């Protein structure tokens, strides 16, 4: 049989630690009650097992004799059916000892001291740490980000955030995990918690892989190029035009790449690999970026821009929510004014028979948000058409005709 004494006392302490009484901001006298009902104590109401009720009553009477609680019996059911019990605040220290439970205030103080050790990173992380410390001092919840009952996890989270944010070159996730924790899988286990902190405090886009943007990757990044241009890597010259096809360069080779000649009309970055492969080159440099921007992609684009900042840069994505977000993210992070390529209303209408239906209300609402944002002003016309006609167009739909 359960230890109902501890169960009931723990329920009362849980209520107390969440109350205004604990926080110290109660303006009226507050009492902490645990109400008996079928949801909280189903066995108490089991008419076929009377011993449960008798046992619980006996345990509550013992707690009342210790002066830990005050029993409120149901009207006309004295010593038979309990309606609720009230916590005796004056006996809190004894109750914590009886339960062998650490006070929430002690855990909060321990967490504050721990977080203070990581302050002064000179990044947005300081803002996060200060916010958590402020909430803890005010006895408010930090549960969304931190579990104060698990100090080791808090240490790992803070070390993980600092490690990911400060990663300046590409590194596989498991390698960074070993570097930070001597455990190749630990970073992956706390990845979602780290990402939540980065998104909420670090101004990271929630629609992208923030680890990849911070150079923490699952596998090494490759960027694919084709078209026209002469490159040099480790004293080896690569003439893209003579290759008559695409070439994939790893992040380490991108670091060493030099641009020797770029006699093209425009540079086009492409979202999807299939679209990249089937795109017919015409005096252009075509780059497959593979989705959202990160350090390696920015490094290559910067080299191209620095070589010739008079070039016109285009980006081609799907005519959908993700596509619009990708081009804006690319502009913001690369610092280059990319023009949209085949992402307008005219293109959508032209290939409408290959468009896909939008049947998700949540997706439509996200599109509607873009209509109220000046960031996406140039896409408002096509977005409005998408919403009214409930359609979107993938790049592959254009390739059938392009």
């Amino acid at each position: 049989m359960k230890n109902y004494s501890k169960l009931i006392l723990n329920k009362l302490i849980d209520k107390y630690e969440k109350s205004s009484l604990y926080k110290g901001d109660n303006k009226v006298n507050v009492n902490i009650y645990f109400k008996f009902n079928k949801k909280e104590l189903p066995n108490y109401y089991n008419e076929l097992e009377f011993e449960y009720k008798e046992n619980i009553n006996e345990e509550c009477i013992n707690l009342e004799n210790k002066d830990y609680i005050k029993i409120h019996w149901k009207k006309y059911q004295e010593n038979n059916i309990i309606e609720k019990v009230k916590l005796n605040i004056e006996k809190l220290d004894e109750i914590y000892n009886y339960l062998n439970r650490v006070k929430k205030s002690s855990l909060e103080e321990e967490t504050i001291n721990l977080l203070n050790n990581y302050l002064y990173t000179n990044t947005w992380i300081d803002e996060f740490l200060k916010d958590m410390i402020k909430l803890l001092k005010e006895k408010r919840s930090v549960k969304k980000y931190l579990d104060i009952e698990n100090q080791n996890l808090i240490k790992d989270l803070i070390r993980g955030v600092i490690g990911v944010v400060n990663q300046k070159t590409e590194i596989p996730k498991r390698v960074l995990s070993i570097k930070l924790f001597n455990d190749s899988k630990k970073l992956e286990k706390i990845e979602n918690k780290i990402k939540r902190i980065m998104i909420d405090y670090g101004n990271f886009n929630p629609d992208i892989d923030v680890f990849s943007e911070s150079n923490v990757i699952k596998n090494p990044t490759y960027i694919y190029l084709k078209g026209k241009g002469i490159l040099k890597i480790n004293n080896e010259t690569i003439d893209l035009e003579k290759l008559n096809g695409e070439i994939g360069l790893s992040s380490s080779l991108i670091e060493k790449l030099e641009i020797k000649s770029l006699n093209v009309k425009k540079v086009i970055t492409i979202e999807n690999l299939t679209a990249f492969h089937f795109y017919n080159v015409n005096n252009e440099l075509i780059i497959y970026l593979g989705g959202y921007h990160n350090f390696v992609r920015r490094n290559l684009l910067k080299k191209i821009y620095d070589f010739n900042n008079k070039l016109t840069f285009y980006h081609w994505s799907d005519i959908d929510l993700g596509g619009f977000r990708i081009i804006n993210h690319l502009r913001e992070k690369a610092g280059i004014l990319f023009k949209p390529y085949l992402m307008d209303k005219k293109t959508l209408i032209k290939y409408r028979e290959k468009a896909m239906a939008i049947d998700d209300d949540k997706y439509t609402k996200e599109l509607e948000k873009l209509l109220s944002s000046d960031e996406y002003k140039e896409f408002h016309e096509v977005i409005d058409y998408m919403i009214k006609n409930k359609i979107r167009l993938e790049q592959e739909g254009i390739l059938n005709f392009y």
Side-chain angles (χ1 to χ4, degrees):
M1 190 172 287
K2 290 180 181 178
N3 186 329
Y4 284 98
S5 295
K6 291 192 174 183
L7 184 150
I8 291 168
L9 285 176
N10 273 312
K11 293 280 188 180
L12 285 165
I13 293 295
D14 288 344
K15 287 177 177 288
Y16 163 71
E17 291 182 341
K18 294 175 182 176
S19 71
S20 59
L21 184 62
Y22 173 77
K23 297 173 185 176
D25 54 9
N26 56 303
K27 296 179 181 179
V28 295
N29 188 34
V30 175
N31 292 311
I32 307 300
Y33 291 104
F34 173 70
K35 294 181 179 180
F36 280 39
N37 55 55
K38 289 183 179 180
K39 181 180 179 182
E40 295 286 358
L41 290 172
N43 288 331
Y44 192 74
Y45 300 91
N46 188 341
E47 296 178 358
L48 300 178
E49 301 286 350
F50 292 106
E51 67 269 17
Y52 281 107
K53 181 169 76 70
E54 296 302 319
N55 181 64
I56 293 171
N57 282 350
E58 184 179 341
E59 291 195 38
C60 285
I61 291 170
N62 288 335
L63 291 177
E64 188 173 54
N65 289 336
K66 292 177 185 289
D67 205 20
Y68 290 171
I69 64 170
K70 169 67 178 173
I71 299 174
H72 290 257
W73 298 96
K74 218 168 179 126
K75 194 173 183 180
Y76 308 123
Q77 294 290 337
E78 187 83 14
N79 295 318
N80 182 32
I81 300 176
I82 297 173
E83 180 182 2
K84 61 186 177 181
V85 296
K86 183 177 77 171
L87 178 68
N88 184 359
I89 304 300
E90 303 299 322
K91 292 287 185 176
L92 279 173
D93 287 343
E94 285 186 35
I95 294 171
Y96 274 108
N97 288 332
Y98 175 78
L99 294 173
N100 194 28
R101 174 168 171 165
V102 180
K103 292 182 179 180
K104 187 179 181 182
S105 57
S106 299
L107 293 172
E108 289 169 337
E109 189 61 36
E110 186 178 358
T111 305
I112 289 170
N113 292 333
L114 173 60
L115 298 181
N116 272 319
N117 291 333
Y118 290 98
L119 273 173
Y120 312 112
T121 64
N122 295 319
T123 67
W124 58 262
I125 299 171
D126 285 346
E127 179 190 351
F128 167 72
L129 295 172
K130 288 175 182 177
D131 268 9
M132 296 302 103
I133 291 169
K134 182 175 183 291
L135 289 172
L136 289 164
K137 286 182 176 179
E138 294 172 353
K139 298 189 178 300
R140 293 163 62 192
S141 175
V142 295
K143 193 174 182 179
K144 180 179 179 181
Y145 306 103
L146 306 174
D147 179 1
I148 64 173
E149 294 184 5
N150 192 336
Q151 296 292 303
N152 287 330
L153 176 58
I154 294 175
K155 289 179 188 176
D156 290 342
L157 279 175
I158 305 304
R159 289 174 63 194
V161 171
I162 293 172
V164 171
V165 170
N166 289 335
Q167 188 60 40
K168 302 304 180 188
T169 57
E170 270 200 353
I171 187 171
K173 191 185 303 179
R174 291 199 172 189
V175 174
L176 180 60
S177 188
I178 292 172
K179 181 180 174 183
L180 293 174
F181 309 112
N182 289 325
D183 181 335
S184 66
K185 297 180 181 178
K186 180 169 283 190
L187 184 59
E188 192 170 11
K189 290 177 182 177
I190 59 176
E191 180 176 347
N192 289 337
K193 294 180 182 293
I194 292 173
K195 286 180 175 179
R196 172 48 54 200
I197 295 170
M198 292 173 68
I199 289 167
D200 288 354
Y201 280 87
N203 198 30
F204 286 86
N205 190 323
D207 300 305
I208 69 170
D209 181 0
V210 297
F211 265 36
S212 293
E213 186 179 355
S214 299
N215 305 308
V216 180
I217 55 172
K218 189 171 183 179
N219 295 302
T221 294
Y222 278 80
I223 292 179
Y224 294 93
L225 306 160
K226 70 178 183 179
K228 194 172 180 181
I230 298 175
L231 318 174
K232 192 173 183 181
I233 304 174
N234 292 335
N235 294 320
E236 292 293 328
T237 300
I238 302 169
D239 189 334
L240 295 176
E241 193 172 17
K242 289 182 178 178
L243 289 178
N244 196 28
E246 59 268 2
I247 183 172
L249 300 177
S250 68
S251 55
S252 59
L253 290 179
I254 295 293
E255 287 282 341
K256 302 168 187 174
L257 181 146
E258 297 177 58
I259 298 173
K260 308 305 291 184
S261 174
L262 203 53
N263 186 23
V264 295
K265 292 180 180 179
K266 56 180 176 280
V267 175
I268 303 178
T269 60
I270 295 181
E271 177 189 352
N272 296 329
L273 187 57
T274 302
F276 169 81
H277 283 312
F278 285 91
Y279 181 87
N280 293 317
V281 180
N282 180 23
N283 197 28
E284 304 153 325
L285 174 63
I286 309 300
I287 307 170
Y288 166 66
L289 291 179
Y292 284 97
H293 160 93
N294 70 0
F295 173 81
V296 175
R297 298 175 177 94
R298 178 174 70 229
N299 194 11
L300 174 62
L301 294 171
K302 188 175 184 303
K303 287 184 179 187
I304 296 170
Y305 184 80
D306 288 346
F307 183 82
N308 184 357
N309 60 18
K310 303 297 183 184
L311 284 170
T312 304
F313 285 77
Y314 291 88
H315 178 73
W316 183 22
S317 272
D318 296 333
I319 302 178
D320 65 6
L321 182 63
F324 301 136
R325 285 173 171 169
I326 286 174
I327 188 171
N328 263 19
H329 185 258
L330 189 59
R331 289 168 173 170
E332 177 190 348
K333 296 298 183 179
I336 299 172
L337 187 58
F338 282 84
K339 294 182 178 182
Y341 183 71
L342 297 175
M343 295 178 66
D344 55 3
K345 178 181 175 182
K346 181 181 177 181
T347 302
L348 181 56
I349 293 173
K350 182 177 180 180
Y351 300 108
R352 178 168 178 167
E353 64 183 65
K354 292 296 180 180
M356 300 175 67
I358 297 174
D359 52 10
D360 184 345
D361 290 340
K362 185 179 178 182
Y363 187 95
T364 302
K365 287 177 181 178
E366 290 298 314
L367 281 174
E368 288 171 348
K369 288 180 184 178
L370 302 190
L371 289 177
S372 59
S373 171
D374 286 340
E375 267 189 294
Y376 297 92
K377 190 173 182 179
E378 69 190 291
F379 299 112
H380 283 180
E381 185 181 30
V382 64
I383 292 171
D384 185 62
Y385 187 86
M386 291 168 66
I387 293 171
K388 287 178 179 176
N389 293 275
K390 297 186 179 302
I391 57 172
R392 60 188 178 88
L393 181 65
E394 293 183 341
Q395 289 176 285
E396 289 81 356
I398 295 176
L399 287 174
N400 293 334
F401 306 94
Y402 190 73

